[in-house]
Amino acid sequence: MYEYKLDKFYPQVHDFGDGYHDPDEEAVVLDRDLLSRVKKLKRRYRNYNEFCDAMKAYQEYTNYLIDKYGGKKRFRFAYGTGQVTDFIPFKPELRDIKVNKKYIYEEAVPVDITEETDAYSQEMYDINHNNPDKVSIDFKIGAKLDYDVEHSLGKSAFDTVQELNIIESYWERHANRPRKLSKKTKKEQKRDMLRRQYADYISLTDRLNEREKAMFQITEPIEDRDKVIAYKGTMITNEQAVEIEIDDILRGYGIYLNKRNFSKKTRRVVRSKKKKSKKNNKLNKYLESFSEGISDYNSFEREMSELISTKIREKD
Amino acid sequence: MEHEKKFRSRIMELFSEDLLIKLENIQTDPRFVSNNDKFQHILFLLKDMDFIEIGAGTNRMAVLHDNYIFKIALDGYGVKDNWNEFNMSPELQPYVTKTYECNGIVLVAEYVNLINREEFLDSKEHIRTILDILSEDYLFADIGTIAKNFCNFGYRDDGTLVILDYGYIYPIDRKIMFCESCGGRLQWNEDYSALMCENCRSKYDPIKIKYRMEVDEDDYIYIDEEKAKGRIKNGKYQILIGGGNVNE
């Protein structure tokens, strides 16, 4: 424990009565014999008795690790974050040979029945591992105890590599074997063959599919709402043009729609149309007053040009 | 003879005075551009001490040792948050994590499992219940039920939901809970992320409301306790309790 010269570094404490201020528990000590036995564990065992002894050592060691790290969850966390510096052994397996098949397929895990074994295990097991022939084939998968212990350890990298090797060897074995042709594959093969023979070959299903597509094909072009078009001198979208047309038609009937219902751009176009129409009206009135009833601009222009030319002659 | 209870200090067991001086100097060292740089440097200082990096927040960082969280302040605000959490922890139990020790620079707290975003969204109603209880006596920030606050919640091994970052919880002073526009009372919104006036629906940040607590009692001008308005006079924020003419 450090001592501080400066008082400000001394902490204040709270006591919630949950053991924070209690000294650490005594460290769990590993038996040297157990460690040496665990280090000698093999991956696979031919002999069932040796496998039983190996499993016992493995289970004892896993219980030690769980105690040391304060529980399965904490051990998993420490393992996941790379804090576990202890030796992690391989899990022993029984070799898949004829003699051992009955134990493997029933997934029997040997457990020594002692006074401390719980009633569940005692009910489930009836072992005499010195006489493996008497082992009952009615064993269920492991003891509840063993299951928890086994599943508390994380997967080692070695296990992962082993699994990958197994998968790889499976595909090596099976990849080169000729595939058994099922009925489906035979049809597909036939179709492929026909396609190769007749380049234009189209199967009946393909033909029916194409016909169905053609029947329900939409030939009319679908209007693009957002397509920009030139409408009476301004660039607006199709949707806005429709709005303006509706407005024009309804105005013809004396119905004036509220401009708030239109989009901004539409409102601007309508406003500019009004201005233009106002402008046009002014120009028309001016022209009418000047031309004394001539409605045609071209004839008025002719008149004006004649007027100008007569005046020029007078000056001369 | 009374048996004296012996207290234990993990800060004194793990942090030497030199290390604490270094951590204190890092807070004000101008060579660090951001708190992220400070975080990386502190991790480097702690690398041989079996600390597990958990993460960094705005003003503090967290590391794990021996199943306890150590929150180290990265700046002055972090020191304030540490002290605030330490002071508030006993009275806010069991809604918050337990904080066992604090010296300002380092705070030791209970380790809880972090909640992920999906679990947080599923537990919104439960969290609202907790905040509803806390809102009666406390003003808080950053623990509302909006998605970005999910990292401020966790749960103990027994499944109890707790708030693990409560540097911004303060005992409430009802006198300051008023609207500056209309003098109406302030209430929490549905998410407990902001305060709203019950009359004009103006929104207020709880941290800004908290600053009103720092106004001296002398600057309070009482007129009518039912209404209140605020103004700034001579550069100081004053509170007019009861409205009145702001042009006085």
Side-chain angles (χ1 to χ4, degrees):
Chain A
M1 198 125 125
Y2 294 103
E3 294 285 330
Y4 302 137
K5 289 176 193 164
L6 296 169
D7 285 341
K8 64 176 178 177
F9 292 139
Y10 281 101
Q12 294 182 23
V13 296
H14 283 142
D15 182 17
F16 292 98
D18 58 356
Y20 177 81
H21 297 284
D22 295 338
D24 288 333
E25 283 171 8
E26 281 176 20
V28 180
V29 176
L30 176 63
D31 186 20
R32 282 208 166 178
D33 287 338
L34 176 61
L35 184 63
S36 60
R37 273 190 294 149
V38 161
K39 285 193 172 173
K40 287 176 191 169
L41 287 178
K42 292 191 287 187
R43 260 314 248 127
R44 287 202 193 107
Y45 288 87
R46 206 183 168 87
N47 186 288
Y48 184 70
N49 284 336
E50 286 173 19
F51 168 68
C52 295
D53 293 335
M55 275 302 290
K56 262 198 271 183
Y58 177 80
Q59 284 169 14
E60 219 177 303
Y61 187 71
T62 49
N63 285 332
Y64 152 74
L65 285 175
I66 289 165
D67 286 338
K68 182 181 174 187
Y69 285 90
K72 284 175 247 172
K73 265 190 182 174
R74 287 177 194 180
F75 175 80
R76 266 197 202 140
F77 182 76
Y79 187 82
T81 53
Q83 300 296 310
V84 172
T85 50
D86 301 272
F87 171 70
I88 303 289
F90 303 136
K91 187 182 164 193
E93 283 177 16
L94 197 58
R95 277 193 73 178
D96 189 3
I97 53 178
K98 201 174 175 182
V99 178
N100 296 331
K101 275 198 185 320
K102 62 178 177 183
Y103 307 121
I104 291 165
Y105 292 130
E106 292 300 318
E107 291 174 319
V109 175
V111 170
D112 249 346
I113 302 288
T114 61
E115 288 169 355
E116 290 164 5
T117 313
D118 59 311
Y120 171 82
S121 304
Q122 286 186 9
E123 271 178 27
M124 297 302 289
Y125 293 94
D126 181 15
I127 304 174
N128 183 355
H129 68 255
N130 292 321
N131 295 311
D133 293 334
K134 289 188 179 176
V135 172
S136 167
I137 289 178
D138 294 329
F139 280 4
K140 299 293 179 187
I141 294 175
K144 198 174 152 195
L145 190 75
D146 293 336
Y147 186 84
D148 285 344
V149 164
E150 282 167 25
H151 286 73
S152 63
L153 285 183
K155 226 179 183 181
S156 70
F158 185 81
D159 284 340
T160 317
V161 168
Q162 280 294 94
E163 281 177 17
L164 287 170
N165 286 340
I166 290 163
I167 292 166
E168 199 184 347
S169 56
Y170 173 82
W171 285 112
E172 273 173 13
R173 252 188 288 162
H174 289 265
N176 297 329
R177 267 194 221 162
R179 260 176 66 201
K180 283 181 189 173
L181 294 174
S182 60
K183 277 186 183 176
K184 271 190 185 176
T185 48
K186 273 185 182 170
K187 269 190 191 171
E188 281 175 12
Q189 280 183 334
K190 197 179 173 186
R191 217 179 288 157
D192 286 338
M193 225 170 62
L194 287 166
R195 277 204 191 103
R196 271 182 252 125
Q197 278 179 9
Y198 306 100
D200 300 329
Y201 173 75
I202 304 169
S203 67
L204 187 62
T205 42
D206 290 339
R207 272 191 249 166
L208 285 170
N209 286 339
E210 276 180 26
R211 189 166 168 270
E212 204 179 321
K213 271 188 203 169
M215 269 172 65
F216 296 106
Q217 209 171 29
I218 300 165
T219 48
E220 291 170 5
I222 298 163
E223 251 189 24
D224 187 6
R225 275 184 160 187
D226 297 325
K227 188 182 169 187
V228 176
I229 53 165
Y231 183 85
K232 298 187 180 177
T234 45
M235 302 301 284
I236 52 174
T237 59
N238 263 332
E239 201 179 349
Q240 286 158 356
V242 164
E243 282 178 359
I244 294 168
E245 278 191 17
I246 293 170
D247 182 46
D248 286 343
I249 291 165
L250 291 173
R251 275 169 178 276
Y253 292 104
I255 300 166
Y256 295 92
L257 292 176
N258 193 343
K259 295 297 168 283
R260 275 186 214 159
N261 295 331
F262 294 155
S263 57
K264 244 188 189 175
K265 196 116 194 235
T266 320
R267 275 184 257 151
R268 262 189 238 151
V269 170
V270 169
R271 250 185 273 143
S272 64
K273 265 173 49 180
K274 271 190 192 168
K275 281 187 187 169
K276 275 185 190 169
S277 63
K278 278 185 187 170
K279 272 190 197 169
N280 286 341
N281 283 339
K282 270 190 185 170
L283 182 66
N284 285 338
K285 278 183 187 170
Y286 178 75
L287 291 172
E288 272 171 25
S289 64
F290 210 83
S291 63
E292 292 175 354
I294 298 173
S295 57
D296 183 18
Y297 182 73
N298 290 334
S299 55
F300 167 72
E301 202 180 311
R302 251 181 279 126
E303 271 186 22
M304 290 301 294
S305 56
E306 281 168 15
L307 190 69
I308 291 163
S309 56
T310 50
K311 278 207 171 172
I312 290 165
R313 269 188 227 137
E314 278 177 10
K315 271 191 182 175
D316 289 343
Chain B
M1 195 165 111
E2 278 181 17
H3 173 69
E4 249 187 58
K5 167 100 189 186
K6 277 199 172 176
F7 294 109
R8 178 182 174 176
S9 169
R10 283 164 213 265
I11 292 177
M12 289 176 72
E13 284 169 20
L14 295 169
F15 292 84
S16 64
E17 188 163 13
D18 288 338
L19 181 56
L20 286 172
I21 291 169
K22 281 182 189 168
L23 292 175
E24 197 182 31
N25 290 339
I26 284 168
Q27 289 172 18
T28 49
D29 194 334
R31 286 175 293 175
F32 295 106
V33 174
S34 66
N35 279 353
N36 199 33
D37 293 342
K38 292 179 190 175
F39 170 57
Q40 296 299 333
H41 187 71
I42 292 172
L43 283 178
F44 173 74
L45 291 175
L46 302 176
K47 69 177 176 355
D48 294 325
M49 293 169 69
D50 292 336
F51 281 102
I52 299 170
E53 173 194 338
I54 297 292
T58 326
N59 309 118
R60 296 183 287 175
M61 58 175 277
V63 288
L64 176 71
H65 185 276
D66 193 25
N67 214 41
Y68 291 101
I69 288 283
F70 288 74
K71 296 187 190 180
I72 301 171
L74 298 172
D75 52 25
Y77 294 110
V79 174
K80 271 191 191 173
D81 290 347
N82 274 347
W83 279 121
N84 201 48
E85 270 192 24
F86 180 75
N87 292 329
M88 299 304 297
S89 177
E91 60 188 270
L92 293 173
Q93 294 301 319
Y95 305 113
V96 300
T97 50
K98 295 172 191 163
T99 50
Y100 298 103
E101 297 181 63
C102 181
N103 66 357
I105 302 167
V106 183
L107 171 107
V108 182
E110 174 192 11
Y111 173 62
V112 296
N113 303 302
L114 288 173
I115 200 171
N116 62 29
R117 200 183 283 261
E118 287 73 35
E119 285 169 335
F120 175 79
L121 295 170
D122 290 337
S123 315
K124 261 191 181 178
E125 281 309 312
H126 187 182
I127 294 168
R128 278 203 195 104
T129 317
I130 295 172
L131 296 178
D132 197 34
I133 296 166
L134 292 176
S135 64
E136 286 171 20
D137 296 315
Y138 300 97
L139 180 68
F140 44 78
D142 291 346
I143 51 173
T145 56
I146 45 177
K148 72 173 177 85
N149 289 340
F150 77 95
C151 44
N152 291 341
F153 289 87
Y155 56 93
R156 295 189 174 120
D157 286 339
D158 61 2
T160 323
L161 199 67
V162 289
I163 303 167
L164 51 92
D165 190 356
Y166 49 103
Y168 297 113
I169 294 187
Y170 308 95
I172 208 168
D173 181 3
R174 291 262 166 231
K175 281 186 280 192
I176 59 160
M177 299 284 282
F178 59 88
C179 174
E180 285 173 20
S181 319
C182 67
R185 276 195 201 283
L186 294 180
Q187 274 180 341
W188 285 102
N189 63 356
E190 206 187 46
D191 286 337
Y192 289 95
S193 56
L195 290 160
M196 287 176 66
C197 175
E198 55 185 13
N199 291 342
C200 65
R201 316 302 287 169
S202 313
K203 263 191 178 176
Y204 291 88
D205 184 3
I207 303 288
K208 303 245 166 82
I209 301 294
K210 190 257 166 189
Y211 292 153
R212 295 181 188 178
M213 284 195 218
E214 289 154 19
V215 175
D216 289 336
E217 192 74 36
D218 298 336
D219 291 330
Y220 278 45
I221 301 170
Y222 292 92
I223 297 169
D224 181 2
E225 282 191 11
E226 283 181 11
K227 285 188 185 176
K229 274 190 183 174
R231 70 176 186 195
I232 296 175
K233 185 179 176 182
N234 300 329
K236 254 185 168 181
Y237 191 88
Q238 291 184 322
I239 298 172
L240 293 165
I241 310 291
N245 191 354
V246 189
N247 294 323
E248 284 173 20

